[in-house]
Structure formats: structure tokens, C-alpha cells
Amino acid sequence: KRNSLHVASTGTGTRTTCEASLKLSEVLRVMTKTKGRPGAASIVDDKGKLLGVFTDGDLRRLIENVQDFNKLKMTDVMHAN
């Protein structure tokens, strides 16, 4: 099964949606490459149900407190819905 990365354009801007099983580094790459750099990603389960969000603010707080980002998954760092 392939983890999903989805970028959708909405009437209010661009929405980035990523599966919770992805690594933090993968989600950051998508957020950075998304047109308009939305500054947040909706985190969903494998059925597309919203589980939480991850924002640029969450990243700043992680930088202050976490040494090794490489092993973190979104379920470790997202704000649950």
C-alpha cells in the first residue's frame, strides 16, 4: 500500500493532506513544495478521515525541543482532531 500525499485547491486556497503514517520529513517536503506554501497539513487516516493537523508553529516548537527528526511520524507530532 502506498502512503498518500494529496494537494487540493479550494476556494480559500491550497490544502495539503497527508496520511498519518508518513514521516515528518516527508510531510515537510510536501508542505514546502505546495504552491502558496499553506503552512499546514491536514493529517488523515488511510480512509481519508481527518485525525489532526500539523502547522509551521508545531515545527518551530519541535525545533526547540527535539534533537532527532528523522524517525518522527505525523502521529508523534500532530495536533489530534
Side-chain angles (χ1 to χ4, degrees), residues 27-43:
V27 174
L28 292 176
R29 191 173 312 116
V30 172
M31 288 171 64
T32 301
K33 290 183 177 184
T34 300
K35 183 179 180 178
R37 294 187 179 162
S42 299
I43 309 303

Side-chain angles (χ1 to χ4, degrees), residues 57-68:
D58 296 326
L59 176 61
R60 287 191 301 276
R61 286 182 284 282
L62 280 173
I63 289 170
E64 291 178 342
N65 300 310
V66 177
Q67 298 297 318
D68 186 10

Side-chain angles (χ1 to χ4, degrees), residues 2 5-6 13 17-19 25 29-31 34 40-41 43-44 48-49 52 56-57 62 66-67 73-75 77:
R2 184 169 185 256
L5 300 171
H6 178 72
T17 304
C18 301
E19 280 194 10
S25 59
R29 191 173 312 116
V30 172
M31 288 171 64
T34 300
I43 309 303
V44 299
K49 179 182 175 189
D56 286 345
L62 280 173
V66 177
Q67 298 297 318
K73 291 192 176 182
M74 291 314 302
T75 52
V77 297

